[in-house]
Amino acid sequence: MPRQKTGLAFMMEFVQRYLDGTLSRIEFDLDFNDHLKKHYRKMERETGELADCFAFYLAEEGCDVAHGLSDADHKKLIRKQFQEFNAAMSDDIL
């Protein structure tokens, strides 16, 4: 039986699929908050600080402020926030 992905791995893959063009903006916008709600508790149990950091960069500073942006600007914002999150992870800030 294959091992289930961690909550954080699922969310990171979801965002990456949008950035790679596998998901459309509408699919991303409709599913992001639902997936985050579904996986957040699992993410908190696995890595509490990373869960908070992910929610800050991608939800609060990404999706929550992206209303009214063009598709290109939306993707640019999400890419920037995803890079900020990855930088925080790789710099051992957390």
Side-chain angles (χ1 to χ4, degrees):
M1 181 173 180
R3 185 170 179 234
Q4 188 176 9
K5 288 182 184 161
T6 67
L8 182 61
F10 176 87
M11 289 304 299
M12 290 182 69
E13 182 180 293
F14 178 76
V15 173
Q16 190 62 58
R17 286 176 40 219
Y18 170 62
L19 296 176
D20 291 344
T22 306
L23 288 176
S24 68
R25 177 180 180 176
I26 192 74
E27 291 171 308
F28 181 80
D29 283 346
L30 289 174
D31 292 339
F32 180 83
N33 286 326
D34 186 51
H35 285 315
L36 187 58
K37 286 177 188 176
K38 181 179 177 184
H39 292 279
Y40 189 78
R41 284 191 182 136
K42 185 177 180 182
M43 290 167 62
E44 262 189 322
R45 284 191 306 271
E46 296 162 353
T47 53
E49 291 176 342
L50 283 179
D52 290 342
C53 185
F54 184 89
F56 173 75
Y57 283 112
L58 277 299
E60 294 175 32
E61 296 292 318
C63 293
D64 291 352
V65 298
H67 301 289
L69 294 179
S70 68
D71 289 351
D73 287 340
H74 181 273
K75 190 171 274 193
K76 189 183 299 183
L77 173 65
I78 299 303
R79 185 178 312 282
K80 176 185 169 283
Q81 293 309 115
F82 196 53
Q83 289 170 344
E84 292 285 334
F85 171 71
N86 283 312
M89 278 193 344
S90 66
D91 289 344
D92 293 327
I93 291 173
L94 306 170

